[in-house]
Amino acid sequence: MIQDLHSHTRYSNCGRDESALVVETAIRGGIELLGVSDHNYGIGDRKARYLAELDALRARYAGKIRILRGIEIATIPAHFLKPGEDLSAFDYCLVEHLDDPTSMVGARICAFADTLGIPTGIAHTDLFGWMNAMGVKPEEFLRALAAHGVFWEMNVNYDSIHGYREHAYVKAFMESSEQQRMVRDAGLRVSVGFDGHRVEDYLPGRVVDTNRFLEAARIPRPFEE
């Protein structure tokens, strides 16, 4: 199954497109499972409307694509969750800024994921570089992530919003048999996300190729048997 678990719509401050257009673009690109993951601070108090809209799209495009209702959580103080905010209605979340010195979560990602009670992904983060900076043993930390239902994202973005910059950690991982072995041995699931913000920038081939790479490397992805 070709998965893209990172996409943005008009519900994100940095997004622009209607949700239906994002879904239709993914279908044309050969995506079989699409996670819509708008920013928590963009959705704000519109959670019920956002979830209902995605539910309607699930029904509308049933048989053409599987749609998951996601949310991307900023962990810097200015955009963090409100105290007691309930995300249990979402299918999953992506968490960003974990390697930022001001992150409200940081290395406590496993405990944080437990409080959310939904599958949790680490978005666009150089995980191996971060583990090295924290001085933790990679094998132990990776196993802990897997045990707490946390997955790691291969962010394959290349678009105008991000200045056509690629994430070096993705290439490093794909070229490192040792990193792949550690992830595989830990049972850590790895997702793929284009992090799209404009449908005209979408490059589904990057998503497809990375999904195929993970399949060949025998590294499981979220939401697959």
Side-chain angles (χ1 to χ4, degrees):
M1 180 178 289
I2 303 300
Q3 305 185 11
D4 182 347
L5 294 187
H6 198 157
S7 63
H8 294 278
T9 74
R10 62 183 175 82
Y11 280 91
S12 290
N13 298 341
C14 48
R16 183 193 62 195
D17 301 307
E18 295 293 330
S19 304
L21 181 57
V22 173
V23 172
E24 290 167 1
T25 302
I27 292 172
R28 288 194 297 271
I31 307 304
E32 298 168 298
L33 187 156
L34 177 70
V36 180
S37 54
D38 282 299
H39 291 288
N40 66 293
Y41 54 91
I43 298 171
D45 60 2
R46 299 178 294 173
K47 287 190 183 70
R49 186 192 314 172
Y50 175 78
L51 292 168
E53 186 170 312
L54 294 181
D55 278 342
L57 291 174
R58 274 179 170 172
R60 178 177 172 183
Y61 294 102
K64 295 183 178 180
I65 193 170
R66 180 181 173 191
I67 298 172
L68 295 182
R69 308 175 306 170
I71 185 170
E72 185 173 16
I73 301 171
T75 64
I76 55 176
H79 296 306
F80 195 47
L81 299 173
K82 298 176 182 177
E85 192 164 352
D86 181 13
L87 302 184
S88 62
F90 290 87
D91 296 313
Y92 73 99
C93 69
L94 298 174
V95 182
E96 61 178 343
H97 308 128
L98 293 183
D99 55 356
D100 188 293
T102 68
S103 174
M104 303 289 286
V105 175
R108 298 183 297 103
I109 178 60
C110 291
F112 180 65
D114 288 346
T115 68
L116 299 176
I118 56 177
T120 301
I122 298 175
H124 43 69
T125 296
D126 178 358
L127 183 56
F128 281 87
W130 185 44
M131 290 188 295
N132 182 64
M134 290 191 295
V136 301
K137 294 181 179 179
E139 291 87 351
E140 293 180 5
F141 194 71
L142 294 173
R143 283 197 298 271
L145 293 176
H148 288 266
V150 178
F151 58 90
W152 178 35
E153 177 189 74
M154 292 287 106
N155 189 297
V156 297
N157 182 266
Y158 188 77
D159 70 359
S160 59
I161 295 298
H162 298 93
Y164 298 104
R165 294 188 302 272
E166 297 180 287
H167 290 283
Y169 80 86
V170 175
K171 182 179 180 181
F173 178 72
M174 295 176 73
E175 293 179 347
S176 173
S177 58
E178 179 63 9
Q179 288 187 11
Q180 295 165 32
R181 180 197 62 77
M182 284 191 282
V183 164
R184 191 165 46 243
D185 290 351
L188 181 69
R189 292 181 180 264
V190 177
S191 67
V192 181
F194 187 75
D195 199 0
H197 289 69
R198 301 284 186 274
V199 294
E200 65 267 24
D201 284 343
Y202 194 48
L203 299 173
R206 296 174 67 85
V207 177
V208 172
D209 289 348
T210 308
N211 273 272
R212 296 301 188 210
F213 167 81
L214 293 172
E215 290 174 0
R218 295 177 290 109
I219 295 172
R221 289 160 298 162
F223 308 107
E224 66 178 3
E225 296 300 327

